[in-house]
Structures are given as structure tokens and as C-alpha cells.
Amino acid sequence: MGDFWIILTGSLVAASCGILGCFLILRKMALIGDAISHSVLPGIAIAYLISGSRDSFLMLLGAAVFGLITVFLIQLLQRGGLQGDASIGIVFTALFAIGVILISRNASNIDLDLDCVLFGEIAYVQWDTLILNGYDMGPAAVWMLGGTLLVVLAAVGLFYKQFKLCAFDPALAAAVGIPVALFHYLLMGLVSLSTVASFESVGAILVVGMLIVPASTAYLLTDRLSTMLVYSVILGVLCSAGGYYAAKWIDTSIAGSMITVAGILFLLAFIFSPLHGLVARFAKRRRLKRVPMPLN
């Protein structure tokens, strides 16, 4: 049963992150998930200092607030003329450093494992169960991640056309009356929610990998956004199951194996994709060379 819960947890993370990752890839904001996953550390520390409790909800609330602050600061720097990658790098390193200082200065008072926050351990999700009226409802992480996935599906389902147009042509979206800034912050809020809900149980590394790699692989396989979303989720689930059994086989990190499998699938798509793969592009160039030049 433990195998099932671990794979299900990884699949839920992969599904929510895979959907949002597609929009991040199209908007050239792939590293925003990495920024959020590191910059929420001050929120976790401050929530503990204020409450004096390691209650998951309070820490998640503090992390979510700093996730939104991260997005706001990145957007503010970009509007000030700074490039996107520089804005992301400045904000997340500064906030992460503040979080490290808060924890190191209050190390005697804060019982937080920094490595656990960053790397997580998905193998332990089966032991942290949700007890409701005396009944064991299964791992709490599954309920939290399942709820997060439902929120992501509801938001994307309700505003699919708006998200799509804002991703491909923000100027046209603004011209037809779509509040581009609102949907930008809605997308970033969903990314923040998924990141914060996921990293407590699986760690930031797995979250960032699932946000970027399956969506990038799906991008190489299709030119349709709807198909890309489906492919990204399927690839993420395959990575979760394949990575778990690979980790079990060679006795290594589960999260690391999941992302390794994702990287292998991306490499295969990068080489053999019928649309954008190296083999397809090489064959296309050869065909073009064989086409005779028209005579004047």
C-alpha cells in the first residue's frame, strides 16, 4: 500500500505542476517555480516565530503569502526595466537568504529541518495521515495535493481561453478587453499554491522539476495547447511511477529518480520528436537540399 500512496502523491504533484508548467513554458517563465520554492522560506520561519507552532496550515499560509510577495516583486522589477531572469534571480536569492538568516539566528527556537524543506522525502507521506472523527483517511499530503489539483483544474477550465490568449499574445488579449495583469497574478497565485502545497511533502526539487521538465517535453511533441496539457500530465504520471520503481530497484532517492526519468523522457523527445526533434529537423534539412533550385 505504501507504493501506491507514494506514486499517487508524485502523480498529483506532477498533474498540478504539469498543467501550470505548460503556461509557464509558453510565457518564458519556467524558473518562477524555482524562485517561489526558495523564497517562501522566510514565510515558514516567520509563521513559526509568530505562532510558536509547527502547524502545517500556519506554515503553508506564511509560505503562500511570501510566494505572492515573490511574484509581486519580480513583476515590479520587470516593470522597472530589469530583465526577467535577473528579476527572478535577485528576488529569490534575497528572500531565501533572509529565510536562512531567520532560521540561523533563531536556531534554538525553531525546530525546522532546512534540508527537509528543500529536498523533502516523499517516502514518508504514508506515515503522516489525516485522522477525521477517529477514522484514518489516508495520507494528509494526498488530500492537500488532491484539493490543490482540483483548484488548478477549476481555474484553468473556467478561464482556459483567457489563459491561452494571455500566454500566446498578451497585446491582443489586452486589446479585446481581457485583464492581462489579473490573469498573470492568478496564474502566479496558482503556481505559488501548487508549489507551497507540494514542497512540504515532496520537496522543492521535485516540484521545480515537475513544473519544467514534463511541460517542456510535451512542448516538443505537439503544437496544440490542449494536447500539450494532456501530454504534460501523462508524462508527469509516468515519471512518478517509473522514478519510484527505478529508485526502489537501485536503492536511491525517489524524488531524484522521478526527475531523472523525466530528464530521460525529455532527451528522447528532444532527439526523436516528429515535430521538433533533432532527427526530424535533420531529415527536413536533407529534403530541402535535395529540392532542385528553380531555373531563371
Side-chain angles (χ1 to χ4, degrees), residues 200-277:
E200 183 187 24
S201 53
V202 303
I205 304 302
L206 182 59
V207 176
V208 174
M210 288 300 185
L211 271 172
I212 299 173
V213 186
S216 299
T217 306
Y219 180 79
L220 295 173
L221 298 176
T222 180
D223 289 331
R224 293 178 60 87
L225 177 58
S226 57
T227 308
M228 181 181 174
L229 291 170
V230 174
Y231 282 178
S232 181
V233 173
I234 293 174
L235 288 166
V237 173
L238 290 175
C239 294
S240 299
Y244 172 73
Y245 287 112
K248 195 173 181 180
W249 179 42
I250 60 178
D251 190 23
T252 188
S253 166
I254 297 175
S257 296
M258 289 180 177
I259 300 305
T260 300
V261 171
I264 292 172
L265 293 178
F266 173 80
L267 182 61
L268 292 174
F270 184 74
I271 297 173
F272 299 109
S273 169
L275 294 177
H276 307 291

Side-chain angles (χ1 to χ4, degrees), residues 97-168:
I98 291 172
V100 171
I101 291 173
L102 284 173
I103 291 179
S104 62
R105 288 284 296 173
N106 299 276
S108 60
N109 300 322
I110 300 182
D111 183 21
L112 292 177
D113 186 349
L114 187 58
D115 290 337
C116 181
V117 171
L118 290 181
F119 304 108
E121 185 46 74
I122 195 173
Y124 297 153
V125 296
Q126 57 185 313
W127 308 117
D128 183 15
T129 59
L130 177 65
I131 305 299
L132 190 62
N133 293 328
Y135 292 97
D136 188 344
M137 305 298 292
V142 170
W143 287 96
M144 181 179 294
L145 295 171
T148 301
L149 178 58
L150 289 177
V151 171
V152 171
L153 289 173
V156 173
L158 287 172
F159 304 111
Y160 176 74
K161 292 182 179 179
Q162 289 87 342
F163 279 127
K164 180 178 180 180
L165 192 54
C166 289
F168 284 105

Side-chain angles (χ1 to χ4, degrees), residues 66-102:
F66 267 81
L68 293 176
I69 290 175
T70 301
V71 173
F72 174 77
L73 291 176
I74 290 172
Q75 190 73 4
L76 185 66
L77 292 178
Q78 288 178 343
R79 288 179 178 176
L82 203 61
Q83 291 184 346
D85 54 350
S87 302
I88 291 173
I90 290 171
V91 171
F92 101 75
T93 51
L95 290 178
F96 182 67
I98 291 172
V100 171
I101 291 173
L102 284 173

Side-chain angles (χ1 to χ4, degrees), residues 22-45:
C22 292
F23 294 102
L24 294 179
I25 293 294
L26 293 174
R27 293 168 67 98
K28 297 179 175 63
M29 300 181 67
L31 288 180
I32 194 71
D34 189 23
I36 292 174
S37 65
H38 285 76
S39 60
V40 297
L41 189 60
I44 296 173

